Amino acid sequence: MSDTRSKPRHRRRRTVLLAGAPLAVAAAAALAYGGGFLGADGADSASAATAADAATAAAWADDTADGFASVDAQGQDGTYGGRGGETVTVKTLADLEKYATASKPYVIVVAGEIKMDPVGKEIKVASDKTIVGAGTAGHIVGGGFFLGTGVHNVIIRNLTIRDSYQGTWNDKDHDFDAIQMDGAHHVWIDHNDLRRMADGLIDVRKDSTDITVSWNKLSNDNKAFGIGWTENVVTDITIHHNWIRETEQRNPSTDNAAHAHLYNNYLQDDAGTDITSSYGNYSRGKTKMVLENSYFQGVNNPVIKDDTATLVQRGSVFSGTSGRNESGGTAFTPSDFYAYTLDKAADVPGLLKSGVGPRSSIGTASATAETKAAASTLTVAADGSAQYKTVQAAVDAVPANNTARVDIKVAPGTYRGTVTVPANKPHVTIVGTGSSRKSTVLVEGHAAGTKKPDGSTYGTSGSATVTVLAADTQLRNLSVSNDYDESKDTSIAAQAVALRTSADKVFLDSVITSGDQDTLLLDGAGKRVYMKDSYVVGNVDFIFGGATAVIDQSVITLKKRWDGTSAGYVMAPSTAAGKKGLLVNRTTISGDVSADSFHLGRNWHAGGDASLDPQATVRNSTLGAAIKAKPWTDMGGFSWKDDRFAEYKNTGDGAGSASADRPQLSDAQAAQQEVADWLGDWTPTAS
């Protein structure tokens, strides 16, 4: 078929989302905190917005797409979704499907977690719809959306769509996508978090065109983003400011696209993870691709093309990549179709890590990322090239009782010394700016029995390298270590904490915590901690405390003791009665230690307190051969069988069947011990 889309088309002036400054959803954010569109009775069913609510919603409901989704074509004047239609709020699958499939235009606000039934269900969205999450609360779990032939003018924004994964990364049996298009046009996919689906995260298929995909996080999946499935050269697509990480293929794969414009995307593949990239951006068939100012980190074959395709690339950064990096031919000039502004490629990782995915609060259309960052970012570099030379100095500079988030960006390097985030400095993010979590290391070497200058000892909690006492603290993309060497003095108490938390809503994202005994102290009854995509290294009680804590999609590494022996305990919960304790979910527990040498945990009744009710659940995880056949054991004269210890559907050489020594949850019990049950109304989001 001949290419009829090669000439520039008429463009209208329209309001677009500025780079780095999303119009986060004001009215939707209100929903998450009790205001907004819900009826006076607080019912879970959909309800129409009041006139005042509709006026508030106009700030985002009237927003229109940029890129190819903004052009006038096929009788459609850009992409504006359900603008002009009724605004409704949904919290059930029935209501979401009712309004998404309706023939009338709707602005549909998803105000909670909606589970697809059956798993893999894809709601068939009709034309003229805006589907948007309420703050960060809108989750679609176990399925997604399908846009069929002729469906047009659809906006999907500010949602998390996740977890239809069926246990096999390269899944050939389940076509469960987050968003699939077959012959749709004028679609804008913006500021979503898409992960762990059974097939692809986004499929743009069968002559779908006039598509923009922007400011999304696509992660932890075999196939990220496929474009094509047709011999026709029709598709026009813009892909910008997306963070694609830990995906093997289709990053994206672009087949027979008339015009594919990719810019300011961040492709990341960390070494040592379950998923290894096969390739990055791929121009296939007769595609014409323009690739600008993107950042490729650790990706194999970062840019490839077929002999029949064209690919023009300029301005990108390649860090730790290997294999094919190709270009060739002439393509097109994107500015002939729409206006756009490029960010510097070197700035892309930091810009996207803080800017992609669902947003919890409203910005303004005129505020750029740089303007917002100027008042809320502090920088640290050990060589003196930043505002501060130590992390603690930057923390000290945060105003007491601050109400807005402050990002402390720490340059790669090793920073020796302790760091404390005090309770009166909430909403602080400490983030390493290096290429991996190993690049930025916070380290100290105090043990519980180490003497202070005044002659007293640090004690266990005081030995921590990093102490978090402030609510809503985030640590991201860095390592926290306690390198105390037990062999140097075996006469003193050897507990040596790397990281201690004693605050609610602490988010540990892509962090390594390493030590020997008592590495990670999660303090505070009922105080919530969420760790994901992280590593914890140690040997004795190295994940312990009374917090309500989740370790999700991570690696727990078992380490030999200072004398070379293999023996230890992974967890020592000290949970208060009536509170939730430690939950390990979808995590690998293994290490270079002897088989049958480590307990999963023991019950810590701190101070001999019989009223405590320690809890640890390990579920859907992979257990190495080091885990004992009787994984739980007693501590301090208290029987673990009187407390709460269980497993559910674990695999690996260290897993085992149900017995009196190895309690297993029933399916019904497991349904009450999921991540959402631990976190409650909190949805951790990188910010």
Side-chain angles (χ1 to χ4, degrees):
M1 181 176 179
S2 62
D3 181 359
T4 60
R5 309 294 294 278
S6 60
K7 295 182 180 180
R9 290 168 290 191
H10 176 65
R11 303 189 308 276
R12 293 183 57 184
R13 291 178 57 192
R14 60 180 75 253
T15 302
V16 300
L17 191 70
L18 296 174
L23 285 181
V25 189
L31 281 164
Y33 299 98
F37 306 147
L38 289 174
D41 59 357
D44 286 347
S45 61
S47 56
T50 66
D53 291 328
T56 303
W60 52 268
D62 284 346
D63 196 22
T64 53
D66 59 2
F68 273 115
S70 71
V71 303
D72 303 345
Q74 302 191 76
Q76 178 65 35
D77 181 12
T79 303
Y80 49 84
R83 185 182 67 194
E86 186 178 14
T87 298
V88 295
T89 299
V90 300
K91 296 180 73 175
T92 68
L93 175 57
D95 284 333
L96 175 59
E97 189 164 21
K98 171 185 174 181
Y99 290 103
T101 60
S103 59
K104 298 193 301 182
Y106 281 103
V107 175
I108 304 165
V109 180
V110 179
E113 180 180 294
I114 294 177
K115 292 185 178 180
M116 292 299 191
D117 186 14
V119 172
K121 179 182 181 69
E122 294 177 5
I123 292 176
K124 295 180 178 180
V125 180
S127 300
D128 304 320
K129 301 293 182 294
T130 294
I131 306 174
V132 61
T136 59
H139 284 234
I140 307 299
V141 181
F145 299 104
F146 177 84
L147 283 63
T149 301
V151 171
H152 59 277
N153 192 31
V154 174
I155 297 173
I156 300 174
R157 299 181 79 186
N158 220 55
L159 288 170
T160 296
I161 306 176
R162 58 179 174 85
D163 291 325
S164 68
Y165 176 62
Q166 297 297 294
T168 302
W169 284 120
N170 193 10
D171 197 328
K172 303 294 187 183
D173 299 319
H174 302 92
D175 185 17
F176 299 165
D177 301 313
I179 302 171
Q180 179 174 316
M181 292 169 244
D182 280 6
H185 67 92
H186 287 89
V187 179
W188 185 23
I189 301 171
D190 178 70
H191 275 96
N192 300 291
D193 181 351
L194 312 176
R195 49 187 154 92
R196 291 180 59 84
M197 303 301 287
D199 186 36
L201 298 176
I202 302 174
D203 277 356
V204 179
R205 315 190 330 164
K206 299 181 180 179
D207 299 343
S208 294
T209 191
D210 298 301
I211 313 294
T212 297
V213 179
S214 56
W215 294 97
N216 301 286
K217 182 178 181 181
L218 288 73
S219 65
N220 295 95
D221 211 275
N222 177 257
K223 303 167 186 174
F225 189 172
I227 304 162
W229 289 271
T230 177
E231 295 298 317
N232 303 323
V233 185
V234 171
T235 299
D236 285 358
I237 188 166
T238 304
I239 303 165
H240 73 87
H241 292 93
N242 299 282
W243 183 12
I244 304 174
R245 67 179 303 271
E246 300 307 325
T247 55
E248 181 177 341
Q249 56 182 313
R250 299 183 185 172
N251 294 309
S253 168
T254 308
D255 187 27
N256 288 330
H259 305 98
H261 184 203
L262 284 62
Y263 69 93
N264 285 146
N265 297 298
Y266 178 30
L267 275 67
Q268 179 184 10
D269 180 8
D270 289 331
T273 58
D274 290 340
I275 300 177
T276 300
S277 56
S278 296
Y279 57 84
N281 296 163
Y282 188 2
S283 182
R284 301 176 57 183
K286 296 180 181 179
T287 293
K288 294 181 179 180
M289 179 181 289
V290 175
L291 167 62
E292 301 181 282
N293 288 33
S294 290
Y295 197 107
F296 298 80
Q297 179 183 314
V299 177
N300 297 313
N301 303 307
V303 184
I304 59 177
K305 63 178 287 293
D306 288 349
D307 291 340
T308 53
T310 61
L311 195 161
V312 173
Q313 62 160 302
R314 47 184 174 255
S316 294
V317 171
F318 299 88
S319 174
T321 60
S322 61
R324 295 165 63 183
N325 188 348
E326 301 168 339
S327 61
T330 58
F332 62 99
T333 303
S335 59
D336 285 345
F337 295 87
Y338 51 81
Y340 68 102
T341 302
L342 291 171
D343 289 303
K344 295 178 181 178
D347 296 338
V348 164
L351 185 64
L352 269 58
K353 285 180 179 180
S354 62
V356 300
R359 317 307 293 164
S360 60
S361 59
I362 186 87
T364 63
S366 60
T368 66
E370 292 77 13
T371 300
K372 292 165 65 179
S376 59
T377 300
L378 305 175
T379 58
V380 178
D383 63 4
S385 60
Q387 293 170 287
Y388 303 96
K389 295 183 69 173
T390 69
V391 177
Q392 188 63 59
V395 172
D396 293 343
V398 175
N401 303 309
N402 52 299
T403 58
R405 180 157 298 280
V406 177
D407 291 332
I408 297 176
K409 296 186 176 182
V410 187
T414 298
Y415 299 80
R416 181 164 289 278
T418 59
V419 176
T420 298
V421 184
N424 66 346
K425 296 189 177 185
H427 319 304
V428 168
T429 295
I430 302 174
V431 56
T433 62
S435 60
S436 80
R437 51 200 152 206
K438 295 180 180 179
S439 301
T440 303
V441 180
L442 313 184
V443 60
E444 190 49 89
H446 299 148
T450 301
K451 287 188 177 181
K452 298 180 182 179
D454 63 4
S456 64
T457 57
Y458 284 96
T460 299
S461 61
S463 71
T465 298
V466 174
T467 301
V468 174
L469 304 176
D472 195 23
T473 298
Q474 298 188 6
L475 302 184
R476 292 172 31 220
N477 196 43
L478 48 78
S479 295
V480 180
S481 175
N482 190 317
D483 64 356
Y484 171 70
D485 185 351
E486 294 182 53
S487 67
K488 290 184 177 179
D489 187 353
T490 60
S491 67
I492 68 171
Q495 298 92 338
V497 177
L499 173 61
R500 176 194 174 209
T501 70
S502 186
D504 194 33
K505 298 183 181 179
V506 176
F507 185 20
L508 308 175
D509 182 15
S510 191
V511 171
I512 299 172
T513 55
S514 61
D516 289 325
Q517 183 172 350
D518 290 15
T519 302
L520 179 60
L521 172 53
L522 305 166
D523 252 345
K527 292 182 177 179
R528 291 165 293 180
V529 179
Y530 181 66
M531 169 182 272
K532 73 162 189 173
D533 295 337
S534 294
Y535 289 77
V536 188
V537 182
N539 49 39
V540 176
D541 301 335
F542 62 99
I543 303 170
F544 71 115
T548 295
V550 177
I551 298 176
D552 194 15
Q553 302 178 74
S554 294
V555 176
I556 296 173
T557 301
L558 312 176
K559 181 179 179 181
K560 290 182 179 179
R561 304 193 67 176
W562 66 272
D563 59 0
T565 59
S566 296
Y569 314 87
V570 177
M571 292 178 284
S574 57
T575 320
K579 301 293 185 182
K580 297 186 186 307
L582 303 180
L583 174 64
V584 176
N585 183 57
R586 296 179 295 179
T587 287
T588 297
I589 304 177
S590 64
D592 185 16
V593 295
S594 300
D596 195 37
S597 61
F598 271 74
H599 288 93
L600 280 177
R602 54 183 179 171
N603 53 336
W604 180 32
H605 285 257
D609 187 350
S611 70
L612 297 178
D613 190 15
Q615 181 184 30
T617 297
V618 181
R619 59 174 297 164
N620 302 106
S621 293
T622 302
L623 309 184
I627 300 304
K628 289 177 174 288
K630 296 180 180 180
W632 312 106
T633 191
D634 301 339
M635 185 178 186
F638 293 90
S639 172
W640 70 268
K641 292 184 178 181
D642 294 332
D643 295 313
R644 297 173 288 168
F645 293 87
E647 298 176 72
Y648 180 69
K649 290 189 176 180
N650 294 320
T651 58
D653 292 339
S657 57
S659 70
D661 295 312
R662 196 151 200 171
Q664 304 285 328
L665 300 177
S666 68
D667 290 344
Q669 290 170 326
Q672 303 301 315
Q673 294 198 35
E674 297 183 347
V675 172
D677 299 307
W678 256 245
L679 302 184
D681 61 357
W682 176 42
T683 303
T685 304
S687 59

